[in-house]
Amino acid sequence: MKDRQCLYFGIFQLIMWAGVANGEFYSSVDSMHELAQVEEELLNATRSYLESQQKQLDFYRRYVEQLKREHEWATTQSKLDEYLGHPLHAFRLIKRLVQDWDALILEPIVDNDAREEFSAHVEALGTVFGYPDQSELQGAVKGLARLQAVYNLTASHLADGVINGVSYGSDLRWRECYEIGVQLFDLGEYQRSLEWLQVAVMLLQNSPEKEEDVEHYLSDIREYASMANFELGNPKKAGILLNQILESQPTHSAQQTRKYLESRALGKIDQETNPTWLANYTMLCQGRRLPEERSADPLKCYLDGKRHAYFTLAPLQVEPVHLDPDINVYHGMLSANQILSILDEAEKMQMFRSAVSGNGGNSTVKDLRVSQQTWLDYKSAVMKSVGRINELVSGFDMAGAEYMQVANYGVGGQYEPHPDYFGVNLPVEFKGDRISTSMFYLSDVEQGGYTVFPKLNVFLPPVSGALVMWHNLHRSLDVDARTLHAGCPVIVGSKRIGNIWVHSGYQEFRRPCHLTSDSYKSAGYQN
Ligand SMILES: *[C@@H]1O[C@H](CO)[C@@H](O)[C@H](O)[C@H]1NC(C)=O
Ligand SMILES: *[C@@H]1O[C@H](CO)[C@@H](O)[C@H](O)[C@H]1NC(C)=O
Ligand SMILES: *[C@@H]1O[C@H](CO)[C@@H](O)[C@H](O)[C@H]1NC(C)=O
Ligand SMILES: *[C@@H]1O[C@H](CO)[C@@H](O)[C@H](O)[C@H]1NC(C)=O
């Protein structure tokens, strides 16, 4: 029954977050693993298909050679009459045409078992995993654009495979940059589209493509660049680019594009109104603190052996990162082995879910998209100790805890700023709102993926094994809006976290409520 409830609750969660973070393939390294597996299977299937086709073709070729030899022998001797006059020869020619050509050549070529098997295999793979579609490609490009925006990365650096000064040796070709530019144009990101198209032009001019091809491709890129310029309110630049195309290729479709643009009102530059949190968020994600009017006293790390007898011998390593609301990082809470066991358990849950959705027909892609998070109860040995750690450190009763949500974010994967409390529409499965959040880091992240609190000037780089804990509610149980937080996009690597939310219902004796909100302590903040 509990499972049911939590499953239901999980779905509820996903719906709630769907608006904030679309979990596409690209945003979870785990679901990208599945795509890599699909590609491997396609490669294997195609290779064996080609092999079987090759064998068949070799067989036909030998057979045709044999027929040809016999045919030539019959005809080139200019003794065809003589050849055909022989009753056995006449029989063989007729048999060849009646049976051999039909059975051995025409039929197998028309009814090609291997080809049917191949296409059945390809189709079956599609039903099990779901192939990514155009929207998925757009999602990946959006992810790239997001990385550029949050971390101020240039297209030319990205195309060189250089991220924040680190070279990953994965440089892009002109065609890929062109494709990114086109996708961004379709998404209405004209400025960024232009940036990628410019990189594409540069790479194309230095590419080993044939000269006449280069001219042809350049025209295609310029056509997009022209339209992007038009949308950005630069009709002059758009016109110049179209002229360049038509000079070298008078029949190019730029002709129609020009007519189309001339018939249209000038594109206007959408002054996008950025959300108010964006400036703080961007800076913190880059690991830069915001300037403050009065700088707070620096907080000192300390060892805490008194919280519970359990910590007498191995004191908690506490790094306070914010006071009121308190945000603390507890280092070294999970060992590498414990993390492996947790991720193992999460992966098994995932496989179970994939298997279920595999039978479910056409909802598979959707299911894959959400497979980036899963929920673990506290039954296994490792999860029992996770629950115990959470109880001892937070002081809260695990009776009010949701299952631990294990999430995986890949490149570009992020959550925009959100609070963890519900405020209204409390889920009926739990008593009260989410009083506290415990976020266990289950991996390091090579670049990016910080947890940031835009209202509190706090950024936290993920450190494997550490636990971050804070209260989402005031002592009065009113929501504390200052706890708004976000997961910054992962630039390089895979981010894994485990979240435990404890609800206020069972905590009457653990953190007694006050009659009034304690937000008076921090005047100026609105709930
Ligand atoms: C694909 O083929 C390789 C080598 O033949 C093999 O090791 C691998 O297991 C195959 N993969 C799948 C998914 O069948
Ligand atoms: C972004 O990077 C460029 C250099 O690549 C720099 O000139 C610019 O100031 C940066 N912008 C921000 C907001 O950091
Ligand atoms: C899923 O499949 C069912 C029948 O198999 C069909 O009626 C339905 O339209 C499909 N849904 C989508 C979103 O393709
Ligand atoms: C941005 O951070 C500053 C400094 O911490 C803070 O005073 C301000 O309220 C924050 N702005 C938003 C919109 O969260």
Side-chain angles (χ1 to χ4, degrees), residues 360-363 366:
N362 53 9
S363 67
K366 248 194 213 126

Side-chain angles (χ1 to χ4, degrees), residues 70-129:
E70 186 138 358
H71 180 84
E72 277 172 358
W73 183 74
T75 51
T76 57
Q77 311 261 329
S78 69
K79 287 184 225 153
L80 191 57
D81 280 354
E82 204 174 296
Y83 174 85
L84 294 177
H86 194 296
L88 269 184
H89 291 166
F91 163 76
R92 277 158 78 176
L93 176 59
I94 293 169
K95 176 188 171 289
R96 284 203 300 273
L97 288 170
V98 170
Q99 286 184 346
D100 299 0
W101 280 102
D102 201 38
L104 284 164
I105 311 248
L106 300 177
E107 227 171 68
I109 283 181
V110 176
D111 310 323
N112 188 328
D113 284 352
R115 186 168 59 200
E116 270 162 28
E117 240 168 64
F118 176 62
S119 52
H121 190 151
V122 170
E123 199 176 309
L125 270 178
T127 26
V128 174
F129 293 101

Side-chain angles (χ1 to χ4, degrees), residues 33-72:
H33 272 285
E34 299 194 20
L35 284 193
Q37 196 189 334
V38 168
E39 191 174 54
E40 181 176 328
E41 296 219 12
L42 281 177
L43 276 173
N44 283 5
T46 311
R47 216 165 40 206
S48 53
Y49 171 62
L50 287 177
E51 269 164 25
S52 77
Q53 293 293 290
Q54 192 63 50
K55 266 191 205 141
Q56 221 169 0
L57 284 177
D58 289 346
F59 173 79
Y60 293 151
R61 194 170 292 126
R62 281 198 301 277
Y63 190 75
V64 168
E65 284 304 315
Q66 192 190 325
L67 290 178
K68 197 171 136 215
R69 273 199 302 278
E70 186 138 358
H71 180 84
E72 277 172 358

Side-chain angles (χ1 to χ4, degrees), residues 140-150 158 184 187 189 192 196:
V141 170
K142 255 192 224 167
L144 265 181
R146 197 152 60 205
L147 286 183
Q148 284 190 267
V150 174
L158 277 179
L184 286 170
L187 287 167
E189 298 238 10
R192 245 177 242 299
W196 281 96

Side-chain angles (χ1 to χ4, degrees), residues 276-326:
T276 51
W277 49 261
L278 192 72
N280 281 11
Y281 167 82
T282 302
M283 204 150 164
L284 292 169
C285 282
Q286 294 178 14
R288 296 185 296 158
R289 277 176 66 84
L290 308 158
E292 275 183 344
E293 281 163 35
R294 46 183 173 81
S295 53
D297 294 335
L299 300 172
K300 291 210 186 74
C301 298
Y302 61 93
L303 295 177
D304 180 355
K306 298 219 180 74
R307 192 166 303 203
H308 190 275
Y310 185 88
F311 300 118
T312 314
L313 288 179
L316 284 168
Q317 305 164 48
V318 191
E319 180 192 352
V321 290
H322 198 270
L323 299 175
D324 185 32
D326 283 0

Side-chain angles (χ1 to χ4, degrees), residues 29 85 161 181 231 248-249 312-313 325 335 346 351-352 365 367-368 372 411 418 439 466 484 506 522:
V29 169
E231 300 295 346
S248 62
Q249 292 179 280
T312 314
L313 288 179
S335 70
M351 270 163 18
F352 168 70
V365 173
D367 287 341
L368 243 193
Q372 59 186 349
V411 171
H418 62 280
M439 184 185 285
L484 188 84
Y506 297 87
S522 42

